């Protein structure tokens, strides 16, 4: 009985070699690079000969966060994805409750302490927990569960429910306020709907309407959010505008990134530059500037290459997966990580306003590190249960009627014959 229970939880037909290994390798490379960059940005003394980093302070914490993240990835990769799907909705409601809790004004300051004006963290002694990070993962799981056997989203009215599922957590995170994290829900839902069969013309119409509505949200933004947008516009007109004010952080990041030129400067010089130039959040949101100071433009491109390895592994996993839920989970998580990486790089290079998003795997932070490794673990779980055979090459996972009727009951779209009810959960 115990053996059958274990087989039921783990599943059958496990594939030892699959594309998700690339996600693990890319994530490890980025995490180790982040540990070194945090040491460069926060410790102004060169480590002793033979030591790569000074194992103390923020560096030691980041190493611990990385190990916890790897453990979390391993644990979540063990059960079959159908077990993950069973807890998706309860997890989402729990996290929505925590997001509401963060906004309650009379919660003790020792439990919810605002940082940079945002009520985004629950402080549990030495551990800080950010529910919004895990809400991104829970949202992808819930959306994948909702879309896997439906075709209502191929109509305009059918897009309402997915929009509401995304709106609730995104709105609560916006109220913290954390506009950067709230923006990540948009690319996830867009990518998942497209893969699930939503019509491109409907999605284009939604994007156009949303783009037209963005200016209307400006009056409702916080003062510092408005200032960031105004500062970016000023910097486009005059590169030196606001260098001592609103654009100080952006200008410092660009200057330090440029100091590395093509191949970077020495370890000691990097530490001196960041010690005396005092770049805010250099261990967090602006950590790319530290990496480019040390390794130059080529080092920055190499870091992008590591992300490319991660994205390639996720793409292979999604392409070879014949399970609707698993495929949508991989697509949603990949869209979030891609958007977050793109926005953070744009912030440091001065082409996007600074909105407080970390660089995945690299920036300092416990919840963010554990979250990206949980995402990697979920993709790994899907990858090693992709089922054997190459039938996916000739037939897509989702197939729909050309003109579905909204509200019409349909048990499920046609899926590759290799899938059985037992395997899809």
């Amino acid at each position: 009985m115990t053996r059958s229970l274990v087989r039921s939880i783990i599943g059958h037909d496990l594939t030892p070699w699959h594309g998700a290994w690339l996600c693990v390798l890319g994530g490890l490379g980025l995490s180790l690079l982040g540990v070194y960059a945090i040491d460069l940005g926060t410790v102004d003394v060169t480590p002793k000969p033979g030591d790569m980093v000074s194992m103390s302070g923020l560096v030691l914490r980041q190493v611990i966060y990385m190990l916890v993240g790897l453990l979390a990835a391993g644990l979540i990769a063990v059960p079959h994805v159908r077990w993950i799907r069973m807890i998706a909705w309860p997890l989402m409601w729990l996290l929505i409750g925590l997001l509401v809790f963060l906004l309650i004004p009379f919660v003790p300051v020792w439990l919810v302490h605002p940082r940079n004006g945002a009520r985004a963290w629950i402080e549990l002694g030495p551990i800080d927990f950010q529910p919004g990070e895990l809400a991104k993962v829970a949202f992808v799981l819930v959306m994948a569960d909702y879309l896997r056997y439906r075709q209502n989203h191929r109509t305009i009215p059918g897009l309402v429910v997915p929009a509401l599922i995304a709106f609730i957590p995104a709105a609560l995170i916006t109220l913290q306020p954390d506009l950067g994290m709230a923006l990540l829900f948009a690319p996830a839902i867009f990518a998942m709907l497209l893969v699930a069969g939503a019509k491109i013309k409907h999605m284009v119409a939604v994007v156009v309407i949303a783009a037209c509505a963005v200016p209307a949200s400006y009056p409702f933004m916080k003062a510092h959010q408005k200032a960031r947008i105004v500062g970016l516009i000023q910097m486009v007109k005059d590169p030196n505008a606001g260098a001592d004010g609103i654009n100080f952080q952006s200008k410092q990041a660009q200057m330090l990134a440029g100091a590395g030129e093509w191949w970077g400067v020495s370890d000691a010089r990097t530490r001196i530059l960041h010690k005396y130039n005092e770049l805010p959040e250099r261990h967090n949101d602006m950590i790319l500037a530290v990496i480019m100071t040390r390794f130059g433009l080529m080092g920055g491109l190499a870091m992008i290459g590591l992300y490319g390895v991660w994205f390639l592994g996720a793409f292979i996993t999604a392409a070879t997966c014949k399970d609707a839920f698993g495929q949508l989970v991989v697509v949603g998580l990949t869209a979030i990580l891609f958007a977050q990486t793109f926005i953070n790089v744009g912030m440091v290079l001065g082409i996007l306003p600074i909105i407080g998003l970390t660089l995945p795997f690299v920036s300092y932070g416990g919840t963010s590190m554990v979250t990206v490794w949980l995402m990697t673990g979920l993709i790994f779980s899907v990858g090693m249960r992709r089922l054997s055979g190459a039938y996916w090459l000739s037939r897509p996972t989702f197939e729909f009627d050309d003109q579905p009727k909204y509200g019409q009951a349909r048990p499920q779209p046609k899926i590759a014959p290799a899938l059985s009810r037992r395997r899809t959960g």
Side-chain angles (χ1 to χ4, degrees):
M1 181 176 178
T2 303
R3 180 179 298 179
S4 62
L5 178 61
V6 172
R7 288 177 63 87
S8 175
I9 294 175
I10 297 178
H12 306 270
D13 301 328
L14 300 183
T15 304
W17 302 111
H18 46 83
W21 279 110
L22 294 176
C23 296
V24 176
L25 293 176
L28 277 173
L30 290 165
S31 297
L32 294 174
L33 176 62
V35 170
Y36 180 50
I38 292 169
D39 182 66
L40 285 170
T42 59
V43 181
D44 55 9
V45 178
T46 303
K48 298 177 181 179
D51 294 339
M52 285 295 297
V53 297
S54 304
M55 293 296 291
S56 61
L58 297 182
V59 180
L60 178 60
R61 289 187 179 185
Q62 187 73 352
V63 171
I64 295 174
Y65 295 152
M66 182 183 69
L67 295 177
V68 172
L70 285 168
L71 177 61
L75 291 176
I76 204 168
V78 171
H80 194 284
V81 290
R82 64 169 174 262
W83 293 96
I84 305 299
R85 180 171 57 82
M86 292 173 60
I87 66 170
W89 285 95
L91 177 62
M92 188 64 187
W93 285 117
L94 172 63
L95 289 168
I96 287 176
L98 292 176
L99 291 174
V100 172
F101 174 77
L102 286 169
L103 300 176
I104 299 176
F106 52 81
V107 173
V109 176
W110 59 267
L111 188 56
V112 178
H113 181 69
R115 301 181 187 177
N116 298 324
R119 298 173 62 88
W121 291 267
I122 297 176
E123 301 192 15
L124 304 173
I127 301 175
D128 298 334
F129 171 58
Q130 191 175 6
E133 287 281 358
L134 290 179
K136 299 182 300 186
V137 179
F139 159 73
V140 169
L141 296 175
V142 166
M143 185 62 68
D145 181 57
Y146 178 81
L147 293 176
R148 67 191 182 107
Y149 289 151
R150 295 176 185 269
Q151 66 177 126
N152 291 348
H153 55 273
R154 288 175 58 79
T155 67
I156 289 292
L159 295 175
V160 173
V161 174
L164 287 175
I165 294 175
F167 174 78
I168 294 174
L172 291 171
I173 292 173
T174 302
L175 292 174
Q176 291 179 356
D178 191 347
L179 182 60
M181 187 174 296
L183 289 175
L184 298 178
F185 287 82
I189 188 174
F190 187 87
M192 295 174 76
L193 283 170
L194 283 181
V195 171
K199 294 184 177 180
I200 295 179
K201 63 180 181 180
H202 294 164
M203 301 303 295
V204 171
V206 171
V207 170
V208 171
I209 294 172
C212 294
V214 166
S217 64
Y218 183 81
F220 302 98
M221 293 182 180
K222 299 291 184 179
H224 70 278
Q225 294 171 334
K226 294 180 181 179
R228 291 294 187 185
I229 296 175
V230 172
L232 179 63
I233 296 174
Q234 291 176 349
M235 195 161 54
V236 171
K237 296 179 180 178
D238 180 6
N240 296 318
D244 296 326
I246 188 59
N247 289 331
F248 174 77
Q249 186 179 23
S250 180
K251 293 298 296 182
Q252 288 290 96
Q254 294 174 58
M255 180 188 68
L256 288 166
E261 297 183 345
W262 286 98
W263 300 101
V265 300
S266 66
D267 181 291
R269 183 166 176 78
T270 300
R271 295 175 191 275
I272 292 173
L273 286 172
H274 283 273
K275 175 183 178 181
Y276 291 105
N277 285 280
E278 298 181 353
L279 172 64
E281 302 295 333
R282 58 184 177 272
H283 65 294
N284 202 325
D285 303 348
M286 299 289 111
I287 198 165
L288 176 59
V290 180
I291 293 172
M292 293 186 68
T293 305
R294 176 65 180 89
F295 299 108
L297 177 61
M298 293 297 103
L301 293 177
M303 185 200 73
I304 298 299
L306 289 174
Y307 281 109
V309 171
W310 195 97
F311 293 132
L312 177 61
F315 175 81
I316 293 173
T317 303
T320 56
C321 178
K322 293 185 284 289
D323 175 72
F325 176 77
Q327 188 180 71
L328 288 173
V329 167
V330 175
V331 169
L333 296 177
T334 303
I336 287 177
L337 195 136
F338 177 85
Q340 185 169 343
T341 303
F342 178 82
I343 293 173
N344 182 276
V345 172
M347 285 165 35
V348 175
L349 299 182
I351 60 177
L352 292 175
I354 297 176
I355 54 177
L357 274 180
T358 59
L359 188 60
F361 292 105
V362 183
S363 293
Y364 174 81
T367 310
S368 61
M369 176 65 81
V370 173
T371 299
V372 291
W373 275 110
L374 281 174
M375 294 164 66
T376 303
L378 285 169
I379 294 174
F380 193 91
S381 177
V382 173
M384 68 178 178
R385 297 176 176 90
R386 60 185 172 87
L387 306 179
S388 59
Y391 193 83
W392 63 275
L393 290 170
S394 59
R395 189 170 188 174
T397 302
F398 297 94
E399 292 183 358
F400 299 97
D401 296 333
D402 291 335
Q403 295 180 343
K405 297 180 180 179
Y406 176 67
Q408 181 179 6
R410 183 181 178 91
Q412 67 181 60
K414 298 175 183 178
I415 303 182
L419 287 178
S420 65
R421 184 183 301 274
R422 173 178 60 81
R423 287 174 176 171
T424 58

